[in-house]
Amino acid sequence: MHMADALISPVVGGAMWVATAGVAAYSIKKIQTEMDEKKVPLMGVMGAFIFASQMINFTIPGTGSSGHIGGGLILAILLGPYAGFLTMASVLTIQALFFADGGLLALGSNIFNMGFFTCFVAYPLIYKAFMGKGYSKKRIVFASVLTAMIGLQMGAFGVVLQTLFSGKTELPFGTFVLLMQPIHLAIGAVEGLVTAAVVTYIWNSRPEIIERAASGEAIGNVSIKKVVAGMVVIAMVTGAGLSWFASSNPDGLEWAMIKTAGTAELEATGTLHQQLSDLQTKTSFLPDYSFKASESEMEQVVGEGEEVWPAVSGGTSTAGLVGGGMTLALAVLMGLGVSMLKKRKNRFSA
């Protein structure tokens, strides 16, 4: 659900930027009570893992479409909703700025759709309600799948509403919503299974991480070295190698747009859209998670026809490793910034 800038108007894009900034500021304020020196690296490695995981599109059988996990629920379960939202913001910011995945005007919308609904609605109201009776493998799987499906439904509906309020007549509400919701229901089911697998792994290794995230406590004296090391390895393998096996089918949003408007890309002719597009072209050194191609190379690729699978590519591997590292660094910097605010506040209180 990485929306391009052409899908929204400047007014809607600006409003969603303000809403997202407000949620981020609220999260920074609330997270200070649970921030400690161990939550910071955990935010970093989980951000890197989500970045790498989003590179892998899985095919939705019988549809000609594909999907990738959002990751907001995983982040909320392991980090808590506030740190989870900030980490998701880190992931999507790196993707938009340096990999041209999602527009800059639409960045506020993308963070809100993939971060707010899962971290602040689906996680506390659905997941925590089910897990309040105690953890078990069956409960983790059921709660993860149900919560991921509902969270993604809300995010997909958010996309539809934002295009509607932007006046995108190419995507009429009735048709667009009837395509967006079912395809993201299937994507949500797969995300739920992935979430359950990750949560089960962490639960078996260090259940205190999940328990303290749920109660809004700092990690404290719990050792997380094994978990951090394991997630770093998984993120590196996913970004550098498993990303080659991503489906070449259009993702759920693109698929719904093709079925509705006949194209996966709408034209944006506004001045602001063009300015932001030019800026993104300059900042994205690995667009579409690969090395920049010259015009002749692009023509050659188009002329070759059908893509080879798996798409073994040094550019993709580089993007996975570099992007994961950059996301880790940004999430860590964000965590350190919150820690500094907490220490400063404590000094003033003293």
Side-chain angles (χ1 to χ4, degrees):
M1 291 192 299
H2 291 72
M3 298 175 71
D5 284 347
L7 289 178
I8 58 173
S9 67
V11 172
V12 171
M16 294 309 301
W17 259 99
V18 171
T20 297
V23 176
Y26 177 73
S27 297
I28 289 171
K29 180 181 178 181
K30 297 292 289 185
I31 198 181
Q32 292 179 37
T33 58
E34 61 190 69
M35 182 61 72
D36 61 10
E37 69 277 2
K38 291 185 178 177
K39 173 127 343 189
V40 173
L42 191 59
M43 286 174 65
V45 298
M46 291 312 303
F49 169 73
I50 295 302
F51 179 95
S53 297
Q54 287 190 3
M55 292 178 66
I56 304 178
N57 278 45
F58 44 83
T59 298
I60 306 299
T63 66
S65 176
S66 68
H68 62 71
I69 72 166
L73 181 59
I74 294 176
L75 296 176
I77 294 171
L78 300 184
L79 301 172
Y82 309 116
F85 181 82
L86 293 174
T87 303
M88 177 59 74
S90 299
V91 173
L92 296 175
T93 299
I94 293 296
Q95 289 175 338
L97 276 174
F98 304 111
F99 300 89
D101 193 3
L104 297 179
L105 177 62
L107 181 56
S109 297
N110 289 332
I111 294 173
F112 197 90
N113 294 337
M114 285 194 268
F116 176 81
F117 291 118
T118 48
C119 292
F120 293 107
V121 182
Y123 168 69
L125 298 182
I126 303 170
Y127 187 87
K128 286 182 70 174
F130 275 99
M131 304 312 297
K133 299 177 182 179
Y135 281 79
S136 69
K137 187 175 180 181
K138 287 184 179 179
R139 254 197 212 108
I140 289 173
V141 172
F142 181 78
S144 296
V145 172
L146 179 64
T147 308
M149 289 172 69
I150 294 175
L152 203 57
Q153 285 296 289
M154 288 188 284
F157 192 62
V159 171
V160 175
L161 287 180
Q162 287 151 25
T163 59
L164 174 67
F165 295 149
S166 295
K168 297 299 172 181
T169 55
E170 304 95 328
L171 300 171
F173 177 82
T175 305
F176 197 34
V177 76
L178 288 175
L179 289 164
M180 280 288 285
Q181 302 308 130
I183 197 67
H184 283 93
L185 196 66
I187 295 170
V190 177
E191 174 164 3
L193 294 174
V194 174
T195 299
V198 174
V199 173
T200 300
Y201 164 70
I202 303 295
W203 175 253
N204 290 333
S205 302
R206 275 287 177 261
E208 301 91 341
I209 293 175
I210 297 173
E211 292 170 350
R212 296 186 183 186
S215 60
E217 299 177 48
I219 296 176
N221 59 0
V222 177
S223 174
I224 63 169
K225 290 181 180 178
K226 181 180 177 182
V227 170
V228 168
M231 294 309 298
V232 166
V233 171
I234 293 171
M236 292 178 66
V237 171
T238 302
L242 296 182
S243 54
W244 296 342
F245 296 88
S247 171
S248 59
N249 289 341
D251 66 23
L253 173 56
E254 294 170 336
W255 176 86
M257 289 177 63
I258 291 170
K259 295 289 185 181
T260 305
T263 178
E265 295 183 10
L266 300 184
E267 273 193 53
T269 56
T271 302
L272 180 60
H273 286 87
Q274 189 58 53
Q275 290 173 341
L276 290 173
S277 176
D278 292 342
L279 175 61
Q280 191 173 46
T281 300
K282 293 176 182 177
T283 60
S284 56
F285 58 91
L286 288 167
D288 295 322
Y289 305 102
S290 189
F291 297 129
K292 286 186 176 181
S294 64
E295 289 186 14
S296 59
E297 289 173 328
M298 291 176 69
E299 289 173 1
Q300 183 179 354
V301 170
V302 172
E304 289 174 356
E306 192 173 337
E307 295 182 20
V308 177
W309 189 92
V312 179
S313 167
T316 302
S317 296
T318 301
L321 293 174
V322 172
M326 293 176 74
T327 304
L328 187 152
L330 181 56
V332 166
L333 283 173
M334 200 173 289
L336 290 174
V338 173
S339 296
M340 290 175 63
L341 286 174
K342 179 181 178 180
K343 290 177 182 177
R344 185 179 178 184
K345 184 179 178 181
N346 291 339
R347 281 201 303 268
F348 279 122
S349 299

